[in-house]
Structures are given as structure tokens and as C-alpha cells.
Amino acid sequence: MSRVLVVGAGATGGFFGAHLVRAERDVTFLVRPARAATLRSEGLRLSTARGETVLAARSVTAAELDGAYDIVLLSVKADALPAALDDISPAVNESTIIVPFLNGLDHIEAIEDRFPGRLLGGVVKVAAQLTADGVIAVSGATASMEIGELSGEVSERARRAADVLNVEGYDFSLSNSIRTALLHKWVFISAVSVICCTATGTIGDVVSVPGGAEFAAAVLEEAAAISRAAGYPLPAAHHEWLRAFVTQAGSPFAPSLYRDLLDGRHTEVEAVLASFSSAASGFGVGTPLLNLAVMRLRLHNRRIAALS
């Protein structure tokens, strides 16, 4: 049986790792000592509209890694990536497949430089967050995972990974266009982050005030223009779906960058928004709304750093 190492047991890693555990895959979570202690004493707790599930989850710290794994799922934030790559080094050999679930694209070069030839592209979507008491609270009705070779080839190793990762509990697809999926998720994450962090509210909060829906639509148009300039235009139907999503009255949705902003935590502004802004500049695309959000979140991060 293929050995799977899930790096991180927060909202994303915990959610998808829990479903792999349920499907009786050979799963181990690589976590920090405090999280390992919680998992060992309380189990992996998943809360959905149907109630709470507690799963026995095997966990290790970096010092306890016990050899190579067949698949490594990287579900850490961008700032934690360098340390995570150091941590997983003993778990990676010539046949290990690494599938990252990070936002943006900057992580691809970093992983390829460290572990050449080991990488598959990965895109996951789930509405969940890790609560203060260690529960993965799932608010969305659906979730998905998409993996694939960055070259677009449907390779044998991608099929092997798909056989392991395709389990009940979320939609799964093996893609021949994972770069497109990565860019389009970047459009989504960037747009909702700019909307919510600039206006300081959920999507529903923003569109409830005069001019809010127009502001949200303008932010989306900036993000879509970057993707189009990069050679990955949004299909018309997907563009319309996104416009409806970011202008939906009463929507409680807010991205993780907004939650980090509200909770006084360091945000992923550089990997998600600043990198997107830099790409836009390279393509000659003007993004004043995106740039405003970058400035605001950089100031927020500076204040947080000054307090630590």
C-alpha cells in the first residue's frame, strides 16, 4: 500500500487527510509537536453540517520521520514552505511524488529546485477553517481535488497518485491542464481576498452597501485580465459564475487572508497578491485595486511583526 505523508493538519490538510484516513489509505500527518500532541490525545476532529467525526490519525514530527513516502501532500502556507521542504527531506526519495496545495505559483519553482522531478500540480477547494480548539470546521457543501503533470501529460505516476487520492468525500479529477486550474484558482483567491480585505467584510457585507457589488465586479475584472494576459483566459461560463459569486447578496464567504487580517495574524500577501500584482505589471496590466490591497496587507504584516 502506498504511504501518504500529509504535511500539516490544518483546515486543508486535515480535511483531505481525514477523507484519506476514512478510505483506509496509509496516511501519516507531519505536524509540529503541539499539533501532534492534540491529534494523539483527541484524534482528528472534523465538523460538518451532519455533525462531528473523530478519527484516529497517525502523526509524526520532523524528528520522528521514518523513511521515504510514496506521496507527500504539502498543505502549508507560503511562509512555512521553506521549513516544510527541510522537514520532508528524509521522506523524499527518487520515486516520491510531491503534490502541493498552496495558493499562487511561486511554490512550484521552490519545490522543483529542491526536489527536481518529484512535483505534480495540485489544486484543492474547500470551505473550512481550523478552530481554536483544534476542530476542522467545514462550512461548504462540496470540496474538490485536482492533480496533474505541469506539462499536461497524463503520466503513469499521475495515474498512480490518482488511484490513491481519489476517495469518497470530495470530487476528484486527474487533469491534463493543471496550469490552467492553478491560474484560475489564483484569480478566484486574489479577487475575493482583495474584495474582503480592502472593504473589511464578507462578500455579503460588501455587496450590501451602495457601490459594493460594482467594486467586487471591478476587482474580478482586474484579476481576469491578468489571467487573460498570461494566456489562460477564463471561459465565459466560469467568468459569469465568478461574477455571480463575488456579488452574491447575503454571502457569508470570506477567504483565509481576510480571517488572518481580522484575527491579527500574518497574511500570505506576498505569495498570493503581491506575486499576482508583479505578474500583472510584467504583462502591462493595470491593477490599482489589487495594488491597494497589497499595500494594506503589507502594512498589516509590518504591524504584526513589530508586535512579535
Side-chain angles (χ1 to χ4, degrees):
M1 181 181 291
S2 295
R3 302 180 77 208
V4 180
L5 184 68
V6 180
V7 184
T12 300
F15 175 86
F16 290 100
H19 287 289
L20 291 169
V21 170
R22 277 178 169 172
E24 300 183 348
R25 300 301 195 251
D26 184 356
V27 178
T28 301
F29 292 88
L30 174 60
V31 291
R32 300 301 181 203
R35 184 62 169 151
T38 299
L39 292 176
R40 291 166 186 172
S41 63
E42 302 177 16
L44 181 62
R45 294 182 290 164
L46 195 69
S47 176
T48 70
R50 298 179 179 180
E52 183 172 312
T53 301
V54 180
L55 299 166
R58 184 166 57 248
S59 64
V60 295
T61 63
E64 298 168 338
L65 276 174
D66 55 349
Y69 285 75
D70 299 290
I71 300 173
V72 175
L73 304 181
L74 275 173
S75 59
V76 298
K77 291 196 173 184
D79 291 347
L81 180 62
L85 295 182
D86 287 339
D87 289 345
I88 68 172
S89 185
V92 178
N93 67 12
E94 64 280 357
S95 62
T96 300
I97 299 168
I98 300 174
V99 187
F101 298 142
L102 283 76
N103 292 320
L105 292 177
D106 290 350
H107 61 281
I108 290 175
E109 183 176 355
I111 297 169
E112 277 288 3
D113 285 348
R114 185 66 180 272
F115 302 109
R118 306 272 68 83
L119 179 68
L120 289 180
V123 173
V124 292
K125 299 174 184 177
V126 61
Q129 63 185 102
L130 185 67
T131 67
D133 56 353
V135 177
I136 298 161
V138 183
S139 55
T142 62
S144 64
M145 178 190 296
E146 185 174 356
I147 69 168
E149 295 281 2
L150 294 168
S151 66
E153 173 192 8
V154 180
S155 65
E156 177 56 33
R157 70 171 188 155
R159 290 191 181 95
R160 289 200 313 271
D163 287 342
V164 176
L165 301 176
N166 186 6
V167 300
E168 290 187 9
Y170 52 82
D171 297 329
F172 179 89
S173 59
L174 176 58
S175 174
N176 62 0
S177 56
I178 196 68
R179 285 189 181 273
T180 300
L182 284 162
L183 257 295
H184 290 177
K185 184 181 179 184
W186 205 1
V187 167
F188 172 77
I189 290 295
S190 295
V192 294
S193 296
V194 171
I195 293 165
C196 295
C197 293
T198 303
T200 319
T202 66
I203 291 295
D205 292 334
V206 175
V207 302
S208 70
V209 299
E214 291 79 7
F215 166 72
V219 170
L220 175 61
E221 292 312 308
E222 280 192 0
I226 302 170
S227 189
R228 185 166 56 250
Y232 299 91
L234 293 173
H238 186 50
H239 199 156
E240 287 303 314
W241 181 89
L242 285 174
R243 185 180 290 111
F245 186 94
V246 302
T247 59
Q248 181 182 356
S251 171
F253 181 85
S256 60
L257 263 75
Y258 176 65
R259 293 195 295 269
D260 289 341
L261 174 68
L262 282 192
D263 294 341
R265 294 191 295 262
H266 192 270
T267 72
E268 290 186 290
V269 60
E270 298 301 328
V272 178
L273 299 185
S275 182
F276 209 38
S277 174
S278 178
S281 179
F283 293 125
V285 177
T287 54
L289 300 175
L290 171 59
N291 296 344
L292 177 63
V294 169
M295 181 181 66
R296 176 171 191 195
L297 291 175
R298 279 176 167 167
L299 286 170
H300 167 82
N301 281 1
R302 181 181 294 178
R303 295 187 186 107
I304 297 303
L307 294 174
S308 61

